[in-house]
Amino acid sequence: MREFAYERATDAERAVAAVNAEPDAVFLGAGTNLVDHLKLGIIGPGKLVDVSALPFDQVTQRADGGVRIGAAVRNADLAAHPVIRARYPMLSAALLAGASAQLRNLATTGGNLLQRTRCPYFQDSTVPCNKRDPGSGCSAIGGFDRDQAILGASDRCIATHPSDMAVAMAGLGAVVQVLGADGEREIPLVELYRLPGDAPERDTVLERGDLITAVDLPALDWAVTSTYRKVRDRASFAFALVSVAAAVDIADGVVRDVRIAFGGVAPMPWRAQAAEAELRGRAATEANFAAAADAELAAARPQRLNGFKIPLARNVLVATLRELSEAR
């Protein structure tokens, strides 16, 4: 591991300035992703600016009826928060489906959003990876691609985003609060991430020194009818093969509104806008749920070993919507 300098930030503005002042400085929160990559030699920053003591560890009610989640709120605390459990059950369920209890006790909201989109080849510094070393090639293409993306990938990278929490937040229409060198700004969560295209080394649209301070959830009253379903190879501590976060508003058997996001299928949390459009104003029937899934997955482009993800995603979405419609 490369030697590095360490600074403990005392306020957010100074933290941003400290990272901007040095070309190889990075923020350190809980470090559950960053420290792994330091140990593996994937990254070697010259300075770590520790933001874990900044006052962003609260969940608060907003005047507009929504909720603000501080970037330093621990995953376990957020999953157990009574407001989140009551009003946004899909978010609580997604958090509980992620990682292990030990990691959830340490990992933060901001860090979870910013964990690297990655695959095993990214973690192995002995093989080519465009995300780790731009222009070196993608070892997953033509390699072991079973777990890789079927939506939004490129000929430079086919890795999937690992976060469960981010999938639920994408479905809810969350907005990320960011502090940068030019002040504060808001970024809709679905616009925070970028597809790999020809620059897979950039996971997000954040600029150097940008610090996530909070995430806002809208006052979506009908999100009480929501859930998160994750399919994985083992019962815990495994990334999703396919996951679905969904919330639905049904009245008189008709879908008035719906929110859907997929995980495990794309380089970013995948908001299923085509499926949502297909469902709004239609009867809450299994046939319509299947048609919505087909509309979203029409753009899927599987790799050699992961074609099974298309019917799996279809079936998981249909089952999730059926469960929610029956719960009404």
Side-chain angles (χ1 to χ4, degrees):
M1 185 186 295
R2 175 189 174 189
E3 290 186 0
F4 54 82
Y6 172 86
E7 177 180 334
R8 191 172 178 84
T10 55
D11 65 64
E13 289 77 11
R14 289 183 183 179
V16 170
V19 169
N20 276 311
E22 300 191 29
D24 58 354
V26 297
F27 294 118
L28 171 67
T32 56
N33 196 211
L34 177 67
V35 172
D36 281 348
H37 292 164
L38 284 169
K39 292 178 179 178
L40 291 169
I42 294 171
I43 58 171
K47 184 175 185 178
L48 299 184
V49 179
D50 187 344
V51 295
S52 61
L54 298 182
F56 302 135
D57 61 349
Q58 298 295 314
V59 178
T60 56
Q61 300 269 9
R62 290 169 48 87
D64 62 4
V67 172
R68 172 160 292 183
I69 302 164
V73 174
R74 306 290 179 179
N75 286 180
D77 294 336
L78 185 59
H81 196 283
V83 172
I84 301 301
R85 292 178 62 189
R87 294 179 52 190
Y88 309 98
M90 66 195 256
L91 177 55
S92 181
L95 286 157
L96 293 173
S100 65
Q102 294 93 333
L103 285 173
R104 292 195 298 270
N105 285 337
L106 185 62
T108 63
T109 298
N112 188 302
L113 292 179
L114 293 181
Q115 60 182 305
R116 294 302 306 271
T117 298
R118 60 195 186 274
C119 76
Y121 294 106
F122 173 79
Q123 308 273 83
D124 183 355
S125 61
T126 67
V127 300
C129 172
N130 286 322
K131 182 175 288 293
R132 191 182 63 246
D133 183 15
S136 63
C138 176
S139 295
I141 296 176
F144 185 71
D145 55 25
R146 174 179 179 269
D147 298 335
Q148 308 308 327
I150 59 173
L151 292 165
S154 75
D155 61 359
R156 303 291 182 91
C157 181
I158 58 174
T160 57
H161 194 273
S163 176
D164 295 287
M165 182 195 77
V167 177
M169 287 186 169
L172 289 167
V175 176
V176 181
Q177 302 296 322
V178 176
L179 177 65
D182 296 326
E184 298 177 341
R185 69 185 190 279
E186 297 183 340
I187 304 175
L189 188 136
V190 293
E191 297 176 16
L192 173 69
Y193 301 102
R194 61 180 304 280
L195 294 176
D198 59 1
E201 68 275 13
R202 290 194 63 201
D203 291 338
T204 73
V205 300
L206 295 181
E207 301 296 335
R208 174 159 189 78
D210 280 348
L211 176 67
I212 292 178
T213 59
V215 179
D216 290 343
L217 303 181
L220 202 64
D221 293 342
W222 48 271
V224 296
T225 307
S226 68
T227 193
Y228 182 77
R229 184 174 295 212
K230 180 178 182 178
V231 179
R232 46 191 163 178
D233 284 328
R234 58 182 186 271
S236 66
F237 203 29
F239 294 145
L241 292 171
V242 169
S243 66
V244 170
V248 64
D249 180 20
I250 298 173
D252 299 323
V254 174
V255 177
R256 294 192 301 192
D257 207 348
V258 63
R259 299 282 192 279
I260 301 168
F262 281 112
V265 298
M268 60 187 288
W270 191 265
R271 179 71 178 269
Q273 296 181 351
E276 292 176 359
E278 184 73 19
L279 278 173
R280 289 190 183 101
R282 302 208 174 185
T285 65
E286 188 151 339
N288 285 337
F289 299 157
D294 291 339
E296 191 65 45
L297 295 166
R301 298 294 180 267
Q303 302 298 317
R304 183 171 54 95
L305 300 176
N306 70 356
F308 71 93
K309 284 194 175 188
I310 296 176
L312 180 58
R314 183 183 193 272
N315 292 341
V316 173
L317 178 56
V318 171
T320 301
L321 293 172
R322 181 175 62 239
E323 173 189 328
L324 292 174
S325 66
E326 292 172 350
R328 294 293 298 175

